[in-house]
Amino acid sequence: MLRVDGLSAWYGDAQALREVSIRVDEGEIVTLIGRNGAGKTTLLRCLMGLHDTYGRTAGTVSLSGEEITGLAPHRRARSGLGFVPDDRGVYATLSVEENLMLPPMHKAGGTGGPEPWSLERVYETFPKLRERRRFPGTKLSGGEQQMLALARVLRTGARLLLCDEPTEGLSPLIVQQIGDILREVKAAGVTVLLIEQNVHFAATVADRHYLLAEGRVVESLDNDQVREREHELLGYLGI
Ligand SMILES: Nc1ncnc2c1ncn2[C@@H]1O[C@H](COP(=O)(O)OP(=O)(O)OP(=O)(O)O)[C@@H](O)[C@H]1O
Ligand SMILES: [Mg+2]
């Protein structure tokens, strides 16, 4: 579904990504693991077409066999990419429901991809959001904001979610809920590329993993490898 070939990115003269090549197949959940500053967020921003304001890029990105390199972010959204940024991007002065209704819905590709989620389906999957639907964004907990950010992207009809550290700063119980939601999202036919530092959680939710270091993909790992090396990986990541 997603194919990235030789992707490099710079901030001015400083190179943040070095010929990154990865692929994500339809229906998979794949994680990006790496230390602070490894280039994980930069990679997601490049995939969404959001790096151009920071600096130049090189390499190619394809979605379902079509090259999207050079397309503007809204065109990528229309082709089925959905981005959940690390700050969650919840509008503080808008209500939960207004936040949900904000982005336009797309019918990506028209070739059997996931349908945009109706408001009713969103509320069935995220009952907390129904309860809080008249609340302003500012009154939500971190976990509720994360759920709102995920739900909002699902409502657009995205078929590939790019999620930047959805579990960061959340309690174990909420992390577990995010895991359940990601599994549900996967069951609904949505593909996910997920930045995740919690490698224990990553191995429970994902199909496989890429380890990024200093802007390069240095290893490709399956769940068994992550479980066997959990201790070493946590030490390496400085957690
Ligand atoms: N706006 C920016 N201007 C200049 N350099 C930046 C900018 N954003 C990131 N960088 C640099 O690019 C490199 C990769 O940063 P990036 O944010 O992609 O890392 P990350 O893996 O997401 O880290 P973290 O785990 O801390 O979120 C780092 O060296 C960082 O200092
Ligand atoms: Mg980051």
Side-chain angles (χ1 to χ4, degrees):
M1 160 156 270
L2 176 75
R3 204 190 157 102
V4 179
D5 285 303
L7 185 69
S8 296
W10 289 261
Y11 292 94
D13 291 334
Q15 191 167 1
L17 292 179
R18 297 168 190 273
E19 310 218 348
V20 168
S21 297
I22 62 168
R23 43 163 258 260
V24 182
D25 292 334
E26 188 163 357
E28 276 193 308
I29 299 184
V30 173
T31 73
L32 297 169
I33 299 169
R35 278 180 178 163
N36 295 128
K40 305 178 298 296
T41 297
T42 304
L43 176 53
L44 291 198
R45 280 204 212 115
C46 286
L47 299 182
M48 201 61 214
L50 294 167
H51 185 77
D52 299 355
T53 52
Y54 299 98
R56 69 188 179 93
T57 61
T60 60
V61 180
S62 308
L63 190 66
S64 303
E66 275 181 47
E67 202 179 317
I68 59 168
T69 326
L71 286 190
H74 71 279
R75 299 279 308 280
R76 298 188 197 214
R78 218 179 289 157
S79 356
L81 277 184
F83 182 45
V84 185
D86 52 3
D87 68 4
R88 291 153 192 164
V90 170
Y91 292 95
T93 55
L94 297 184
S95 71
V96 165
E97 195 153 297
E98 285 166 339
N99 265 283
L100 281 171
M101 301 303 272
L102 204 59
M105 291 163 81
H106 308 293
K107 179 66 195 87
T111 49
E115 296 286 329
W117 288 28
S118 66
L119 203 55
E120 192 47 38
R121 183 170 178 198
V122 164
Y123 287 150
E124 270 165 30
T125 309
F126 303 89
K128 257 271 141 48
L129 296 183
R130 190 201 302 274
E131 265 171 50
R132 301 261 191 274
R133 67 186 185 280
R134 310 266 170 248
F135 275 49
T138 38
K139 293 246 174 101
L140 299 182
S141 70
E144 289 162 356
Q145 284 186 32
Q146 186 58 52
M147 287 177 197
L148 175 54
L150 277 166
R152 189 170 54 185
V153 166
L154 290 166
R155 225 191 73 81
T156 66
R159 51 200 175 118
L160 172 57
L161 293 191
L162 307 170
C163 299
D164 197 345
E165 299 204 50
T167 64
E168 194 190 11
L170 302 180
S171 70
L173 185 66
I174 306 295
V175 170
Q176 217 178 341
Q177 284 177 18
I178 304 267
D180 291 341
I181 285 161
L182 288 172
R183 279 182 283 267
E184 220 167 302
V185 161
K186 178 185 160 104
V190 180
T191 308
V192 184
L193 179 61
L194 176 74
I195 296 180
E196 189 50 72
Q197 299 294 66
N198 180 340
V199 294
H200 177 77
F201 172 76
T204 67
V205 77
D207 297 292
R208 52 192 186 84
H209 317 266
Y210 289 107
L211 182 61
L212 240 72
E214 292 167 20
R216 284 193 180 81
V217 173
V218 290
E219 278 192 85
S220 171
L221 302 160
D222 63 25
N223 281 331
D224 288 340
Q225 289 168 312
V226 167
R227 285 194 196 100
E228 278 158 27
R229 292 171 53 188
E230 184 177 330
H231 191 69
E232 171 214 337
L233 286 168
L234 287 176
Y236 169 77
L237 297 171
I239 295 166

